[in-house]
Amino acid sequence: MERFIAKRLYGSDGSAKGGSRPAIVIATIGIALGLAVMIVTMAVTRGFRNQIRDIVIGFTQHITVTNYQMNFGTTEEPITCDEVLFMEMNDAKEIDHVQRFIHKPGILKTDSLFHGFMLKGIGQEYDLSFFNAHLTDGYIPLPSDSLKDTWIVLSQEIANKMMVKAGDKIDIYFMQNSIRARRATITGIFKTNFSEYDQVFGITDINVLQRLNGWDSNQATGLEIRLTNEKYLDKAYESVREIMNHSDARNDEAYLIETMEELNAGLFAWLDVLNVNVVAILVLMLGISGFTMISGLLIIIFERTATIGTLKALGADNATIRRIFLHFATHIIGKGMLIGNAIGVAIVLLQQHLQIIPLDPASYYVDSVPMELKIGWFILLNIVMFTLSMLMLLAPSAIISRISPSKSLRFE
């Protein structure tokens, strides 16, 4: 009965009847816009966090192991990356992939320009999928023990500063006991828009840097470790520490183990600030939507005072009449949420496929607003929105109990 009366009040054609129509339209718009803003906000936040995390993982992986002494001096101290260590790492179920790297500072120089940077040497086991996905020109050669020519892959940012392109030759100077130089061919250009790394790193064969440092084939600056799942980070950290303790006893080396969040503390602190802003926006939008719904329901109740009086005179109790108006409100909330979902999802899909909202990569690390829609939080957001909206309507619907049948029938 309550649903039938509520539907008659709302209108069989889905439109509001009587003088309450403007209030219903405003309440519907409030719900729709509030939900659309919340969907877009959640999508942007998730998109930013995941895209930036993917770039950080591409450069450093989840866990990095280096020589402890290297962080307290200018000398380049290696760690021993022998077959035993690789076997122990690969046997850990939380670890998906392990790769060596060497970091060596150097200076790029042309006839008129120079630029300080960090050269990263990669081995044959290095997973190049990340850099290949961001390659804009040329290619990345496969590392090889038999080197004929020295090659280097630069970021687009460095290439622009040095005014070079793929195929050009460039000189690299290394400051050791004496200045040592190498002439390299630029085989590729990559671009991630992540300036902290793009303006610093270049890539070359690990064998070049091993020979410059006088290291053997088992020595490297460190190891980068990718996990099977990021949720295993704490457990994987303990596994890596246990493995490296065994290696410490075997090779008499001290190790420093760092997660990607420890290596990029400032960046992840910025992402945490974004989460605070998201909570503030969600609470604000929910408050605005709830206010418009409460205002709309109050207007509807006052406009239907005579109807309430008639129902009471016919024997309907307060609880029944409250349920009628809550069913009425459900129609408004449902319609508003359908419109809000349509608007929010449409904006997210348009941005994903057309990148209609650009950004300055120098400030935001990406060239367009990243948006990611996940069905789990999307459904949860709708459930929370509907539930809280209904709970907020319980208080104004209690006014019905104060309406007297004898007075309400003479209300108009």
Side-chain angles (χ1 to χ4, degrees):
M1 181 188 70
E2 291 95 339
R3 288 195 185 95
F4 173 78
I5 296 175
K7 189 174 181 180
R8 295 292 297 176
L9 290 174
Y10 189 73
S12 59
D13 60 351
S15 60
K17 290 185 174 181
S20 57
R21 178 176 175 80
I24 293 176
V25 171
I26 293 173
T28 303
I29 292 174
I31 289 285
L33 292 181
L35 183 57
V37 170
M38 285 190 278
I39 290 172
V40 172
T41 301
M42 291 289 288
V44 169
T45 304
R46 183 177 178 82
F48 257 117
R49 177 170 285 274
N50 287 345
Q51 189 159 335
I52 291 175
R53 288 179 81 89
D54 288 345
I55 294 174
V56 171
I57 291 170
F59 275 104
T60 67
Q61 302 302 319
H62 295 97
I63 297 176
T64 301
V65 181
T66 55
N67 192 304
Y68 184 78
Q69 298 298 326
M70 190 171 181
N71 293 272
F72 296 94
T74 57
T75 59
E76 297 168 284
E77 297 290 340
I79 66 172
T80 301
C81 308
D82 52 27
E83 291 184 6
V84 176
L85 180 59
F86 270 88
M87 288 176 60
E88 291 177 350
M89 288 284 186
N90 290 322
D91 286 342
K93 62 181 180 180
E94 303 91 3
I95 295 176
D96 179 52
H97 184 71
V98 183
Q99 56 197 27
R100 299 167 297 159
F101 71 92
I102 292 180
H103 283 169
K104 190 171 183 64
I107 297 174
L108 293 168
K109 186 179 182 304
T110 62
D111 292 338
S112 58
L113 299 169
F114 64 91
H115 177 76
F117 79 128
M118 181 70 73
L119 191 56
K120 181 174 186 174
I122 59 174
Q124 294 174 348
E125 77 286 351
Y126 201 92
D127 183 0
L128 291 171
S129 57
F130 170 77
F131 288 105
N132 282 327
H134 291 86
L135 209 60
T136 59
D137 192 15
Y139 67 100
I140 304 176
L142 294 176
S144 172
D145 292 332
S146 57
L147 290 175
K148 294 182 179 179
D149 297 307
T150 301
W151 58 266
I152 186 172
V153 177
L154 297 177
S155 71
Q156 187 70 63
E157 188 169 345
I158 294 178
N160 290 342
K161 288 181 179 179
M162 300 300 295
M163 294 189 293
V164 293
K165 61 184 183 302
D168 290 350
K169 300 281 187 179
I170 194 166
D171 294 319
I172 312 173
Y173 291 87
F174 302 97
M175 307 301 174
Q176 295 182 214
N177 295 329
S178 60
I179 298 177
R180 303 184 68 179
R182 288 289 185 276
R183 188 163 182 80
T185 301
I186 302 171
T187 61
I189 305 291
F190 69 88
K191 181 181 180 181
T192 68
N193 291 318
F194 202 79
S195 58
E196 272 76 359
Y197 288 107
D198 278 5
Q199 66 185 356
V200 173
F201 278 98
I203 306 169
T204 192
D205 195 313
I206 195 171
N207 295 286
V208 173
L209 302 187
Q210 284 174 334
R211 294 176 186 180
L212 280 168
N213 289 339
W215 296 351
D216 62 39
S217 59
N218 287 333
Q219 291 181 306
T221 298
L223 293 173
E224 294 176 345
I225 301 167
R226 185 176 68 224
L227 307 184
T228 55
N229 194 310
E230 198 171 315
K231 67 181 181 181
Y232 300 139
L233 182 61
D234 292 337
K235 189 175 181 180
Y237 184 90
E238 294 301 321
S239 297
V240 171
R241 186 171 66 175
E242 183 178 348
I243 293 170
M244 297 312 298
N245 284 340
H246 293 161
S247 184
D248 184 3
R250 185 170 66 247
N251 298 307
D252 193 26
E253 296 170 348
Y255 300 100
L256 178 64
I257 306 171
E258 297 174 285
T259 66
M260 61 179 182
E261 293 187 0
E262 291 171 335
L263 285 170
N264 301 273
L267 175 64
F268 284 97
W270 175 69
L271 291 176
D272 290 338
V273 171
L274 281 182
N275 288 338
V276 175
N277 293 338
V278 169
V279 173
I281 292 172
L282 293 179
V283 171
L284 180 61
M285 289 298 101
L286 189 60
I288 293 173
S289 301
F291 177 78
T292 57
M293 276 300 305
I294 291 171
S295 302
L297 186 60
L298 286 174
I299 293 172
I300 293 164
I301 290 172
F302 292 144
E303 199 258 346
R304 302 288 180 175
T305 302
T307 302
I308 294 170
T310 301
L311 290 172
K312 285 190 174 184
L314 292 174
D317 57 17
N318 290 326
T320 300
I321 299 174
R322 287 183 70 180
R323 286 195 295 271
I324 290 172
F325 280 91
L326 288 177
H327 280 300
F328 188 102
T330 301
H331 287 288
I332 301 173
I333 295 172
K335 185 175 181 179
M337 289 182 64
L338 284 174
I339 297 172
N341 280 319
I343 294 173
V345 172
I347 292 174
V348 172
L349 293 177
L350 283 172
Q351 180 62 19
Q352 285 179 340
H353 292 90
L354 301 178
Q355 288 81 46
I356 56 178
I357 309 174
L359 286 177
D360 179 10
S363 301
Y364 296 97
Y365 308 111
V366 289
D367 54 9
S368 65
V369 176
M371 293 189 186
E372 185 176 327
L373 193 63
K374 188 176 181 182
I375 190 67
W377 65 255
F378 177 76
I379 293 174
L380 180 62
L381 183 61
N382 276 269
I383 293 173
V384 171
M385 179 74 171
F386 182 81
T387 302
L388 293 181
S389 296
M390 293 301 296
L391 289 175
M392 284 189 286
L393 294 178
L394 293 177
S397 66
I399 295 175
I400 292 170
S401 61
R402 300 175 179 269
I403 297 177
S404 170
S406 58
K407 293 181 180 179
S408 61
L409 290 174
R410 300 195 302 269
F411 183 76
E412 296 181 352

